[in-house]
Amino acid sequence: MSQANQDANPQLMQTTFEAQRATALAWRQSTAAERIERLERLRISLMAHKEALYEAFAADFHKPRFEVDGTEIVPSLDEIRHNIKCLKGWMRPTRIRATELTMGNSAHVQYQPRGRCLVIAPWNYPLYLMLSPLVSALAAGNTAILKPSEMAPRVAQVLASIVTKAFPAHEVALFEGALATSQALLAMPFDHIFFTGSPGRGQSSHGGSGQTPDQRHPGAGRQVPHHRGRDGRPSKGG
């Protein structure tokens, strides 16, 4: 397995992070139709890169096509379909009971997007464990910056092409690189971080970010992370 050694430009990462701020604020008012359109863009770009993904997984992992389909591409497409199907229901306000002090009034909970999200993916399932949290972030109305594993460089290059063809950088951006790239991104005040990887790097992500525990979403360190709905809750049917 080869490894990418060149880290991303810190100034470009900072500029991109700042550019996503205005988008994240505007997306707080996004409709279900607008969020579904972004998910469709991702689906179309993913499908257009299937052949490139087969070649990349063969180069990085020596995986046959049927295994790439079964463990990476099909689960990613299922994730997109599931979010599109359930999104309108997830976005509806949740009615709650009135208390003794608020009798006679109606009350509900309206979930809001976090804002700017960071997704750091591991090497072992580099496509699905990147796209699954990205799909949830987009369904929830968030922007995202993605950091693929440097241990799967060919797959990371195809991921970069998938993202670039589907989104402008002020919506979703991807930066390749090694530890220095991760550390530079973790130093930025993201509104939510989704990390899947080793305990050592997970500890680093906790210590490097200036976030409270509820703003971090560590993956379980297994093949399939816990599916989340647009509000961070376990999604129905996931």
Side-chain angles (χ1 to χ4, degrees), residues 166-188:
F167 305 101
H170 66 269
E171 295 182 353
V172 181
L174 182 147
F175 292 103
E176 299 177 62
L179 182 59
T181 298
S182 296
Q183 291 174 333
L185 289 169
L186 288 166
M188 300 176 192

Side-chain angles (χ1 to χ4, degrees), residues 7 12 15 34 53 61 75-76 80 109 118 123 128 135 137 151 175 189 220 227 233:
D7 282 293
L12 179 59
T15 300
E34 290 169 334
L53 285 168
F61 298 97
S76 298
I80 295 171
V109 175
L118 172 63
W123 64 268
Y128 178 65
V135 168
M151 300 299 292
F175 292 103
H227 290 192
R233 298 177 299 178

Side-chain angles (χ1 to χ4, degrees), residues 14-69:
Q14 184 65 44
T15 300
T16 303
F17 176 75
E18 293 169 359
Q20 287 194 359
R21 183 174 185 273
T23 304
L25 289 173
W27 281 8
R28 292 181 70 85
Q29 306 301 321
S30 58
T31 64
E34 290 169 334
R35 298 181 189 186
I36 289 171
E37 185 273 333
R38 293 170 202 142
L39 293 172
E40 286 287 1
R41 271 190 269 158
L42 179 60
R43 183 189 64 81
I44 292 169
S45 187
L46 173 58
M47 291 296 294
H49 286 80
K50 284 184 71 173
E51 288 299 323
L53 285 168
Y54 293 144
E55 295 175 5
F57 274 97
D60 284 344
F61 298 97
H62 305 290
K63 279 188 177 183
R65 290 184 173 218
F66 76 87
E67 187 175 352
V68 177
D69 279 332

Side-chain angles (χ1 to χ4, degrees), residues 130-145:
M130 175 65 79
L131 295 188
S132 176
L134 172 61
V135 168
S136 294
L138 291 171
N142 300 293
T143 65
I145 289 180

Side-chain angles (χ1 to χ4, degrees), residues 85-93 230:
K85 177 182 177 182
C86 299
L87 184 56
K88 290 182 180 178
W90 289 339
M91 290 182 68
R92 294 192 191 102
R230 58 163 204 89

Side-chain angles (χ1 to χ4, degrees), residues 215-235:
Q215 293 171 309
R216 298 187 299 263
H217 183 172
R222 54 184 178 177
Q223 289 186 19
V224 182
H226 196 56
H227 290 192
R228 292 279 167 168
R230 58 163 204 89
D231 57 354
R233 298 177 299 178
S235 62

